[in-house]
Amino acid sequence: MIARRALPGLLAAAALLRPRLAVPQVDPDAALIAAARQGDAREVRRLLDAGARLNARDPSGATALLAATAGNHLEAAQVLIEAGADVNAKNDIQDSPYLLAGASGFTEILRLTLARGADLKSLNRFGGTALIPACERGHVETVRVLLATAIDIDHVNNLGWTCLLEVAILGDGGPRHVEVARLLIAAGAKLNLPDRGRVTALAHARRRGHVELANLLAAAGAR
C-alpha cells in the first residue's frame, strides 16, 4: 500500500506525464473584425489597445471599419475612424466604408467618412459614385449630405446611367424618389443626359407611369 505521504508527489509526477493540451491562439485581427461586425465598440477599443491591426482584412478583403459599416454600427465605426481607420479601403467587391455607407443610407457613418477624407471620386463595382446608389434607393438625407460635397452629380456609371437616370429607371416613383429628383434638380443636375439608348430620364419616367416624377422633370425643363 502506498504511504499517504507519498501520494502528493506521485500525483504531481502523474500530472507532469499527462499530455499538455494546446491553448488555442486567438488572432487579434480576426477578433477585431468580429467585434466590429457585432457592433461591440468596447471590445473594438480593447483590441486596438491590445495591438490589433487597425486596417487588417478578413478573407473577403473587409476591414473592421467595413464590417462595422455593413451593420450600421455607428459607435464601433466611430471608434475605428477616430483611431485612423482607412475610410476608402475596399474589399474584394469594391465596397469601401464610404461607398457602402452612401449606398446603404447610413448617413451618420457617411458623415464620419467624409470628415476623414472619403474619396469622392471613388467608384463601386458598377463604376458608380456613392451618390448614384443613394439616389436609386431613395435615401433622401444621404443624398442631401452628398450633394453638399464636390461629388460629380452627373457621373455616368458602367451601365450608362447618371443619378437622375437611376431615379427614373430603378426608382418606384414614390415620394422619396420624387424628393431625390427635386434635390438633384436644385443642385443643377443635367436633366437631358440620355442613357445609351438615347432615352432621357423624363422619357423613362413617363414610360414607367411615374406621373409626379415626370411632371417635376418636365416643369424643370427636361425633355
Side-chain angles (χ1 to χ4, degrees):
M1 210 173 159
I2 299 173
R4 289 192 181 187
R5 288 182 194 173
L7 277 175
L10 289 171
L11 291 173
L16 290 173
L17 291 173
R18 288 196 202 105
R20 293 179 180 271
L21 295 176
V23 177
Q25 297 296 311
V26 176
D27 180 347
D29 297 342
L32 175 65
I33 294 170
R37 185 169 287 114
Q38 295 163 8
D40 190 340
R42 181 178 297 180
E43 181 67 358
V44 166
R45 188 177 284 107
R46 187 192 73 77
L47 287 163
L48 288 175
D49 290 343
R53 293 182 302 156
L54 184 60
N55 292 309
R57 296 171 182 267
D58 70 10
S60 73
T63 62
L65 179 55
L66 186 58
T69 301
N72 197 21
H73 298 307
L74 177 59
E75 188 177 355
Q78 187 166 10
V79 170
L80 290 160
I81 290 174
E82 288 177 352
D86 187 351
V87 300
N88 298 305
K90 292 183 178 182
N91 66 3
D92 294 348
I93 60 170
Q94 301 303 296
D95 280 334
S96 70
Y98 157 65
L99 288 171
L100 185 60
S104 303
F106 299 153
T107 309
E108 295 309 314
I109 294 180
L110 175 68
R111 285 192 174 102
L112 293 177
T113 66
L114 290 170
R116 290 305 178 102
D119 181 4
L120 298 176
K121 295 182 179 179
S122 181
L123 303 180
N124 59 30
R125 60 189 176 277
F126 303 108
T129 63
L131 181 61
I132 291 180
C135 290
E136 177 239 310
R137 298 174 185 180
H139 298 315
V140 176
E141 188 57 30
T142 301
V143 170
R144 189 176 281 113
V145 168
L146 287 169
L147 288 177
T149 72
I151 200 164
D152 183 0
I153 193 173
D154 295 312
H155 175 82
V156 179
N157 65 14
N158 294 343
L159 299 171
W161 297 340
T162 62
C163 295
L164 193 59
L165 280 166
E166 289 231 349
V167 170
I169 295 168
L170 300 177
D172 62 11
R176 291 183 302 117
H177 286 102
V178 170
E179 182 59 23
V180 165
R182 198 185 313 277
L183 290 172
L184 291 172
I185 292 167
K190 294 178 181 177
L191 304 183
N192 297 308
L193 286 177
D195 62 16
R196 289 173 183 165
R198 310 306 300 168
V199 182
T200 64
L202 176 58
H204 278 293
R206 285 173 171 165
R207 287 180 182 181
R208 299 196 63 209
H210 297 330
V211 177
E212 188 176 357
L213 177 60
N215 289 343
L216 174 67
L217 291 168
R223 300 187 302 275

